[in-house]
Amino acid sequence: MIKAVIFDMDGTMVETESLWRVVNEELAKKYGHIYTESIGFQMMGRKEDDALRIFKEYLHLDVSIDELQKTRKRMLFEKLDQITPNKGLFELVDLLDKLQIKKAIATSTFRDFASKVIALIGLKNRFEVFVTGDEVTKGKPDPEMFLTAANKLGVLPSESLVLEDAQNGVEAAYNAGMKVFAIPHIYSQHHDFSKATKILSSMAEIDEAMLKSL
C-alpha cells in the first residue's frame, strides 16, 4: 500500500479554476486583450511566475511580471468567497488519517493564496507538508515539487500517490516516478491524461480498497 498522498490544490482539492479564469480574463481586459482557451491551457498547473510569463508573452504585453503578479493577487483576494471544496475531499482526508497514510499539498500557486484557501475550507492543520510554487525552482511538469513533498514526508516516490486535475501536474507526478490519479473538470477534460494511473470523476471514488491495491 502507498505511504503518502500528495494533493494538488487548484482544481483538485477546491474549485478555483473558474475563479482563475475570471481573474485572468479581467487581467487581460485591463491591458486591452482577450483571454483565450489556448492561453489557459498553457498556464494551467504552472507556478505563478511561469504562468504569467506565458500570459505576458502570448499577449505581447509591455509590463513586468511583478506588476502582473501584484495586480492578479489583488483580484484573487477580492474573490476568495467564491471558492468551494471539491466532492469527496473531507471524506478522503479522514480516510487517509484512519489508514495512517501521510498527506501533503503540492500546489503551483503562491504561499499567500494557498494558505488562505486551505484555512478557508478548514483544513489548515490536516496536512503534514505544504509545498507551493514560490518555494521551488522548477514548476510542473518538472517533478521537483512532488519530489520535494515526498522528501519532506520521508517517503519514496514509488510509495506516493498524487492527485491532479491538469496535464502538467499528471506529467510531473509521472516524471517523479509516482502513481497519479487524474481528476479532470470542465476546464481540463480535454487534457492528455495518458500517463495517469487512473482517471476518476471525483475524489469520492477513492476508497480503502483502492488505496490498499496500490
Side-chain angles (χ1 to χ4, degrees):
M1 185 170 71
I2 53 156
K3 294 183 178 180
V5 174
I6 304 173
F7 291 71
D8 168 59
M9 187 187 79
D10 286 304
T12 302
M13 294 178 66
V14 290
E15 204 298 278
T16 49
E17 292 304 331
S18 56
L19 171 59
W20 283 108
R21 183 184 178 88
V22 168
V23 168
N24 287 333
E25 286 175 348
E26 291 180 359
L27 189 63
K29 186 176 180 180
K30 174 180 172 63
Y31 294 102
H33 293 272
I34 296 175
Y35 179 77
T36 65
E37 290 286 348
S38 56
I39 305 175
F41 173 75
Q42 294 178 63
M43 293 174 68
M44 189 178 293
R46 296 185 184 273
K47 65 193 192 94
E48 179 81 351
D49 53 347
D50 290 342
L52 287 175
R53 190 168 293 108
I54 291 169
F55 183 89
K56 174 182 175 176
E57 292 175 356
Y58 196 97
L59 297 179
H60 306 290
L61 299 180
D62 185 21
V63 58
S64 69
I65 298 296
D66 184 60
E67 180 180 331
L68 289 173
Q69 286 177 325
K70 289 178 180 177
T71 303
R72 191 165 78 154
K73 181 182 288 190
R74 185 178 66 252
M75 292 175 173
L76 278 170
F77 287 173
E78 290 173 351
K79 297 176 172 63
L80 283 176
D81 60 347
Q82 298 179 20
I83 296 171
T84 56
N86 281 335
K87 182 179 180 181
L89 173 61
F90 300 118
E91 293 84 355
L92 178 55
V93 170
D94 289 343
L95 176 60
L96 296 176
D97 284 345
K98 172 190 170 185
L99 298 176
Q100 297 184 320
I101 296 175
K102 296 179 179 180
K103 306 178 301 301
I105 296 171
T107 174
S108 295
T109 195
F110 51 97
R111 170 70 63 164
D112 287 354
F113 179 66
S115 296
K116 289 181 184 298
V117 170
I118 297 305
L120 179 70
I121 61 174
L123 292 179
K124 183 178 180 180
N125 300 312
R126 299 292 299 275
F127 291 82
E128 293 93 322
V129 167
F130 198 173
V131 180
T132 56
D134 46 1
E135 298 168 346
V136 296
T137 303
K138 298 177 182 178
K140 305 169 187 176
D142 188 274
E144 180 185 355
M145 188 175 298
F146 292 137
L147 291 173
T148 299
N151 183 58
K152 288 185 175 184
L153 286 172
V155 299
L156 296 173
S158 59
E159 299 170 329
S160 305
L161 167 66
V162 172
L163 305 181
E164 263 288 353
D165 70 304
Q167 181 177 334
N168 283 325
V170 167
E171 291 183 356
Y174 179 86
N175 292 337
M178 300 176 176
K179 299 174 181 65
V180 54
F181 288 175
I183 311 175
H185 46 70
I186 188 171
Y187 300 114
S188 66
Q189 59 187 358
H190 60 288
H191 288 197
D192 178 3
F193 292 123
S194 58
K195 293 180 180 177
T197 308
K198 287 182 182 291
I199 300 177
L200 309 177
S201 61
S202 77
M203 286 177 285
E205 288 187 51
I206 304 173
D207 58 18
E208 185 170 343
M210 185 181 292
L211 292 170
K212 287 183 175 180
S213 71
L214 297 173

